Amino acid sequence: MTFRGSISSKQGTKMKNSMRAPFQHLLAVTALLSLAACGGGGGGGGTAPLSPGGGTGTTPGTSSQTLGSYCKPLFTALTPGTTWNVVLQDASNAGSTTTMDVSVGNLTNQAGYAVYPVNLVQTDSTTSTSGVTTTVRNATAYNYPSALDQVTQYGDIVTTTTTITPTGGTPQSTSTNESDVYSPTAFIDNSYALVAGGSILQTSSYIQTVTGTGASNVFDVSTTVKFVDVESIKVPAGTYLTCRVDTTTAFTGLNITTTSTEYALVGAGVPVKTVSDAGTVMEATSVKVNGVPK
């Protein structure tokens, strides 16, 4: 998975982008990350019990093994030096692409906590007859593997630059800098403990502050994550065995709910396909883990 929701951000509205939940898996899609327009979300404030799911067989997708055992993203193993790169393309629009470069830094201290910085550079580009729109998001999340199939996350910082280049015109760029901090302290993601067919509801509050303006907002988020199955899928980059994860994110009191489906590469957790609630399908055209093509 990625920073959940991060890939779908370019399909979101301006309002949704302003409420980008801190990326939790690398997918805000799922990431991610974002993960991004109303993606990510949830966890920490309260956690419903894991609902039963999966079986006891040995066939992938029916086993009682956890999502973490199959598809825990390499970055959540938090091994410094880990890298991966994915290029995704809109299945219905070849001019719309997303490139994600991820790396894990050395153990450091953030706000008094020992954490591993997870760095994401995500480039969204859309080309049309009117010109090219490019959004580059530089993000760093601060995570720690607090238990088996559990990752504690302390927040993130994000710089986003959007450049619009009209056909035959002059490029115009705008930038924002923001930080997301969980309230009261951290987000504890227990979704990797799910087995096939299982789901979990996680809630949280986070404070999003826009650097330089002093403006800040508090968002309450409720997210349901379901580990559907292990599935074989075919995308332009190849045929992969993946974990399918469905996510529903709701912003309490704002009447905004988003859904997404992510297919993460078994053994690496790298997103190779995502489907947004608007029906946009992003498929991998290139996948590399630690510099090695997959």
Side-chain angles (χ1 to χ4, degrees), residues 99-285:
T99 300
M100 303 180 73
D101 288 288
V102 178
S103 62
V104 180
N106 294 320
L107 187 67
T108 187
N109 185 284
Q110 174 71 13
Y113 297 97
V115 296
Y116 292 93
V118 180
N119 305 300
L120 163 71
V121 179
Q122 177 177 315
T123 302
D124 299 328
S125 180
T126 301
T127 301
S128 66
T129 55
S130 60
V132 180
T133 299
T134 302
T135 298
V136 179
R137 179 176 293 107
N138 285 273
T140 300
Y142 300 99
N143 302 341
Y144 192 79
S146 45
L148 181 66
D149 290 338
Q150 181 187 87
V151 178
T152 297
Q153 300 166 1
Y154 293 94
D156 58 48
I157 57 174
V158 184
T159 298
T160 304
T161 301
T162 298
T163 302
I164 299 176
T165 306
T167 301
T170 303
Q172 300 290 328
S173 297
T174 57
S175 295
T176 60
N177 298 279
E178 63 188 52
S179 64
D180 300 299
V181 179
Y182 288 100
S183 176
T185 302
F187 164 80
I188 301 175
D189 185 2
N190 291 299
S191 64
Y192 293 114
L194 293 170
V195 293
S199 64
I200 186 172
L201 171 65
Q202 301 186 118
T203 61
S204 71
S205 292
Y206 71 93
I207 302 170
Q208 187 175 89
T209 302
V210 180
T211 306
T213 67
S216 63
N217 292 286
V218 177
F219 296 110
D220 297 315
V221 186
S222 176
T223 300
T224 299
V225 179
K226 182 177 182 179
F227 173 25
V228 178
D229 210 339
V230 172
E231 301 179 10
S232 178
I233 66 167
K234 185 177 182 180
V235 295
T239 300
Y240 300 102
L241 193 62
T242 66
C243 295
R244 174 181 167 177
V245 177
D246 292 352
T247 303
T248 300
T249 303
F251 286 81
T252 306
L254 295 177
N255 196 30
I256 293 176
T257 300
T258 65
T259 61
S260 65
T261 295
E262 178 181 293
Y263 298 84
L265 183 62
V266 165
V270 176
V272 294
K273 180 178 178 179
T274 66
V275 183
S276 74
D277 50 6
T280 301
V281 179
M282 303 294 291
E283 297 179 326
T285 59

Side-chain angles (χ1 to χ4, degrees), residues 49-125:
L50 298 179
S51 54
T56 57
T58 57
T59 302
T62 62
S63 172
S64 59
Q65 290 184 20
T66 64
L67 174 61
S69 298
Y70 280 127
C71 286
K72 195 170 187 177
L74 290 177
F75 87 93
T76 61
L78 299 173
T79 303
T82 295
T83 65
W84 57 260
N85 167 274
V86 177
V87 180
L88 301 108
Q89 184 177 73
D90 189 330
S92 62
N93 180 6
S96 181
T97 62
T98 291
T99 300
M100 303 180 73
D101 288 288
V102 178
S103 62
V104 180
N106 294 320
L107 187 67
T108 187
N109 185 284
Q110 174 71 13
Y113 297 97
V115 296
Y116 292 93
V118 180
N119 305 300
L120 163 71
V121 179
Q122 177 177 315
T123 302
D124 299 328
S125 180

